Amino acid sequence: MPTGCVVLGSPASGLQQFYSMLSADKAREAARDLLCRAGAQGARVAVVYHADADGTSSAALVCFAVRALGGEVAPETPGKGDNVHGAAFGARVLATGAALAVVLDTGSRPGRLFTIPTLIVDHHRIDPAQAPEVEAFVSTLGDDPETSTSALTYELLAPVVEPLAPIAPRAWLAALGLLGDLGDGARRHPLVAAAARQHGLSALREAVALVNAAGRSAAHDAGVALEALLEAERPADLARGGGEAARRLRALKEEVSAATRRAIRVAPRVHGRWAVIQLDEPYRVHGPVASAWTRRLPDRIVLVANRGYMPGRVHFSVRSHLPLDLRAALTALLPDAGPDFAAGHDRATGGIVRAEVFDELLRRIRDEAARGAVA
Ligand SMILES: [Mn+2]
């Protein structure tokens, strides 16, 4: 086994033992052991990732690491409007023939995700009782919520990979995920500060926007962003490099920017404290449009709905500058609309619902406004 891999006193006992955030060091040991074993066997590793800057930069780090350890990679991300928990996606992962799945930044649910050994790295906060049943679950420990999956991934991989192939020159990938998820609040993180000194903050920000555009594109062409990150030596290669994937990524970004400009011109309809904007775009631009309108309408709850993203469904984002629990505001209107309704965070939520459910939500928003129930 490669030198960096000698980190364990004894082999992991595999399927019988599920490590979780309750024993973080054990989870990391188990994770490194799984990766090292897969590499030593020349096995294929399915790299499953969330198609945003954090998930995709994490995937690029794992692809680099698996190859350095001797394995081969099969990157997979859920298709448009799909998620990792569906049976169809599980079958796709299995069909890669992978001996191990590494799952990055997708959020986690209790129970088993795939039938093959699985390592999850994820920074979304969860209740320890809700931890997934996997061979290794590397998570934030509650003590450091201000991190990203990319930072957790980098810290996990560096000790085993560095002796084989220098991963430090790719630490900027971890910075992309931090900036993507935490915005400028991440500037003080040591990985971001170091990457900004070396590459400049604007090159990092530009790279974040480019990678995010792939996941927002009508074709949901997330693979282009991963390819561009893998061919890049520095963040500026995404915005200015001559690589084939980087060129395609820049074209996607142009498309998404044009769709955003179009969507932002759609006028809101105000119903009491709500401002509702309805789009019909195949691009996932409802989140950025909602954020943009909260700046113009600071005393409203902005709801941007998109009927054009997936047929028969409405994807919507809710944002506000008002100090409100937006998830509670939504569930008060529609208490039983399923797990994809009012998901996310108190200050940034939304949902995915059938068109008739969304129409009912709109009726209730208008009723609330007519009652003048809330000032
Ligand atoms: Mn993330």
Coordinates of all heavy atoms in Angstrom, one line a residue, residues 50 52 54-55 105 123-124 148-149 181, ligand 1:
H50 N -22.9 16.9 -5.4 CA -23.9 17.9 -5.7 C -23.4 18.9 -6.7 O -22.2 19.3 -6.6 CB -24.2 18.7 -4.3 CG -25.2 19.8 -4.4 ND1 -25.0 20.9 -3.7 CD2 -26.3 19.9 -5.2 CE1 -26.0 21.7 -4.0 NE2 -26.8 21.1 -4.9
D52 N -22.9 21.9 -7.4 CA -22.6 23.3 -7.2 C -21.1 23.5 -7.0 O -20.4 22.5 -7.1 CB -23.5 23.9 -6.1 CG -23.0 23.4 -4.7 OD1 -22.2 22.5 -4.6 OD2 -23.5 24.0 -3.7
D54 N -19.4 23.9 -4.4 CA -18.8 23.1 -3.3 C -18.7 21.6 -3.6 O -17.7 21.0 -3.5 CB -19.7 23.3 -2.0 CG -19.1 22.7 -0.8 OD1 -17.9 22.5 -0.7 OD2 -19.9 22.5 0.2
G55 N -19.9 21.1 -4.1 CA -19.9 19.7 -4.5 C -18.9 19.3 -5.6 O -18.2 18.3 -5.5
D105 N -21.5 16.3 -0.4 CA -22.2 17.6 -0.4 C -23.7 17.4 -0.8 O -24.3 18.4 -1.2 CB -21.6 18.7 -1.2 CG -22.0 20.1 -0.9 OD1 -22.1 20.4 0.3 OD2 -22.3 20.9 -1.8
H123 N -21.2 18.7 4.9 CA -21.1 19.7 5.9 C -22.5 20.2 6.4 O -22.6 21.0 7.3 CB -20.3 20.9 5.5 CG -21.0 21.7 4.4 ND1 -21.2 23.0 4.6 CD2 -21.5 21.4 3.2 CE1 -21.9 23.5 3.6 NE2 -22.1 22.5 2.7
H124 N -23.6 19.6 5.8 CA -24.9 20.1 6.3 C -25.1 19.5 7.7 O -24.9 18.4 8.0 CB -26.0 19.6 5.3 CG -25.9 20.2 3.9 ND1 -25.2 19.5 2.9 CD2 -26.3 21.3 3.4 CE1 -25.2 20.3 1.8 NE2 -25.9 21.4 2.1
S148 N -17.2 23.9 4.6 CA -17.8 23.4 3.4 C -17.4 21.9 3.3 O -16.5 21.4 3.9 CB -17.3 24.2 2.2 OG -15.9 24.0 2.1
T149 N -18.1 21.3 2.4 CA -17.7 19.9 2.1 C -16.3 19.9 1.5 O -15.5 19.0 1.8 CB -18.8 19.3 1.1 OG1 -20.0 19.2 1.8 CG2 -18.4 17.8 0.7
D181 N -20.3 28.3 -1.0 CA -21.3 28.1 0.0 C -21.5 29.2 1.1 O -22.6 29.5 1.5 CB -21.1 26.8 0.8 CG -21.8 25.6 0.1 OD1 -22.0 25.7 -1.1 OD2 -22.1 24.6 0.8
Ligands
MN1 MN -22.0 22.6 0.4

